[in-house]
Amino acid sequence: MLEDLLYEVLPVVGFAMIACTAFVMIVMRKNTKDALIFCLFFAVSDLLSGIGTLIDGFYGVMVTIYGTTVETISPFDCLTRAVNIPIFLITDYLHLLLLSAFAIDRLIQIMFPVSYGKIYPYFLNWKLFILLLFASAGLSVPGLAFPLESRFNTSVRVMSQCRFDEVVGEEYYLKHILTVQWGPIVCIGALSLTIILYCIRQTKHKWSYNWSEETSTTKQLFGTIFIRCFLSGLSVHVPLLLIARTTEGHELIAIKDHIIRVSYWIIVIIFQPLWHVLILNSFQSNVYSLFNRYSANTERKWQSANDPPEDVPAHLDRHGSPNPFGSWYSMTGNITGEAGVPVGNERSVSFYYQD
């Protein structure tokens, strides 16, 4: 059964999402003083999605192994059993809000570069992320209306797998998926306006001399948000086209939400470090410094008991010439001394213990 296989794959996808987002957070942890902090915002949002994916996968495995897949329960019971449902609601809106905030940030930077350079430290911080998190939680409340209203209605039942589209209701799900589908496209439209304004400003020197960012940084940040918007829209539109051409009653229709989400998780979240490396120079340098932190200076600053004295030559052979093999100070011996042919001036140290 395709759905059973899907639930076995979801924990692996969830672990991969958490690993990739944790890597991005470690690499970009110091970039909190400019617009690159959006990379950390997206990483935290993706980390929450990864946790929700793990919960979803393990819950599905538990139901398919120890439960019965034909059992029906109340949508309200799914909120207490499958806590990934509210997590997915919040992270869906949080991702769209972050895309919008990043696109608006780029638009303001292009239109008012001097003012942007003065005010961005006041709003580009973790307070903005917390505000967007609470806003996304507020936007997700209508998605809980259907399970709450049907709590005492015994005629409303859903499958025990607690599929997202069944729990929130088909009417709300249609609005929700349209928002997720077209939100990134709207952001691409705003970014297109931004790039047009940027090109116009570059035509005359007096319009571009008062830039508050380095040109390379502006281009990299624009490329980062554009690629994420493009891949987010692509990862939703392609599965929807596939599902739209599927005959009614096919198993793909039942797991349509999972198909869309897995596509988004793999293309956008798991591959995120890859296109960060290709676009962001700061990400590349941070990765290099992370993996080469202890290889820059390998000179040993300490002295071992096996090291010969610094006043060389101090170890001479039987002919009075410097002997490069071993040291009289070695704990394991040397070729011409303790461990080799005696030369007449062997030294030994003995230790005695007496009760």
Side-chain angles (χ1 to χ4, degrees), residues 16-327:
M17 292 167 62
I18 292 175
C20 291
T21 54
F23 176 71
V24 173
M25 293 171 66
I26 292 173
V27 172
M28 302 296 290
R29 65 189 184 279
K30 296 181 180 179
N31 296 95
T32 58
K33 303 299 183 181
D34 50 25
L36 286 173
I37 195 174
F38 275 104
C39 297
L40 288 173
F41 291 167
F42 282 115
V44 175
S45 175
D46 297 341
L47 180 63
L48 295 176
S49 297
I51 295 173
T53 306
L54 275 181
I55 297 173
D56 187 16
F58 284 126
Y59 175 78
V61 170
M62 294 292 291
V63 170
T64 54
I65 294 179
Y66 300 104
T68 169
T69 55
V70 297
E71 178 186 358
T72 58
I73 60 177
S74 168
F76 181 80
D77 293 335
C78 286
L79 296 181
T80 57
R81 296 186 182 185
V83 295
N84 58 284
I85 300 296
I87 293 178
F88 288 162
L89 275 171
I90 294 174
T91 52
D92 287 347
Y93 286 113
L94 180 59
H95 179 246
L96 292 177
L97 290 178
L98 287 173
L99 288 179
S100 303
F102 203 170
I104 294 173
D105 171 83
R106 294 295 87 199
L107 182 61
I108 295 175
Q109 195 277 331
I110 296 296
M111 295 181 64
F112 312 103
V114 177
S115 301
Y116 176 85
K118 295 178 180 178
I119 66 173
Y120 85 86
Y122 298 101
F123 68 89
L124 277 188
N125 49 49
W126 287 104
K127 295 179 182 178
L128 174 63
F129 178 80
I130 295 174
L131 178 63
L132 295 179
L133 181 61
F134 277 104
S136 60
L139 291 173
S140 64
V141 170
L144 305 177
F146 177 75
L148 292 176
E149 292 172 358
S150 60
R151 179 179 182 181
F152 301 106
N153 189 347
T154 56
S155 62
V156 179
R157 312 291 288 179
V158 297
M159 300 301 295
S160 58
Q161 291 92 330
C162 293
R163 300 166 185 148
F164 182 85
D165 53 323
E166 294 180 349
V167 174
V168 300
E170 286 296 335
E171 182 179 355
Y172 175 83
Y173 181 74
L174 178 60
K175 300 176 182 178
H176 181 80
I177 199 63
L178 286 175
T179 304
V180 174
Q181 179 183 4
W182 293 104
I185 306 302
V186 174
C187 290
I188 290 178
L191 292 173
S192 301
L193 175 61
T194 303
I195 194 63
I196 292 174
L197 293 175
Y198 175 78
C199 293
I200 293 175
R201 290 183 64 95
Q202 293 297 309
T203 57
K204 289 189 177 182
H205 176 71
K206 65 179 182 179
W207 291 347
S208 60
Y209 76 94
N210 56 349
W211 215 246
S212 58
E213 285 183 345
E214 294 184 5
T215 304
S216 59
T217 303
T218 301
K219 293 179 179 179
Q220 291 171 30
L221 290 173
F222 180 84
T224 301
I225 180 61
F226 184 86
I227 288 295
R228 188 168 186 109
C229 288
F230 176 77
L231 293 180
S232 298
L234 183 69
S235 63
V236 176
H237 278 78
V238 173
L240 284 176
L241 290 175
L242 175 65
I243 294 170
R245 298 187 178 187
T246 306
T247 57
E248 192 66 30
H250 195 276
E251 193 175 2
L252 282 177
I253 302 297
I255 59 174
K256 58 184 178 182
D257 184 71
H258 275 121
I259 297 297
I260 296 171
R261 292 187 182 278
V262 169
S263 172
Y264 165 75
W265 293 333
I266 294 177
I267 295 177
V268 178
I269 298 180
I270 295 181
F271 286 166
Q272 180 177 226
L274 176 61
W275 43 270
H276 273 350
V277 168
L278 297 177
I279 297 175
L280 292 175
N281 290 337
S282 57
F283 190 85
Q284 299 173 12
S285 59
N286 289 345
V287 170
Y288 179 81
S289 61
L290 177 67
F291 289 102
N292 295 275
R293 177 178 299 179
Y294 302 106
S295 62
N297 185 8
T298 57
E299 182 182 357
R300 184 156 58 91
K301 301 296 184 180
W302 48 271
Q303 185 173 11
S304 168
N306 293 330
D307 292 344
E310 295 183 359
D311 328 350
V312 290
H315 182 210
L316 306 177
D317 59 13
R318 66 178 66 185
H319 305 292
S321 302
N323 185 357
F325 302 103
S327 166

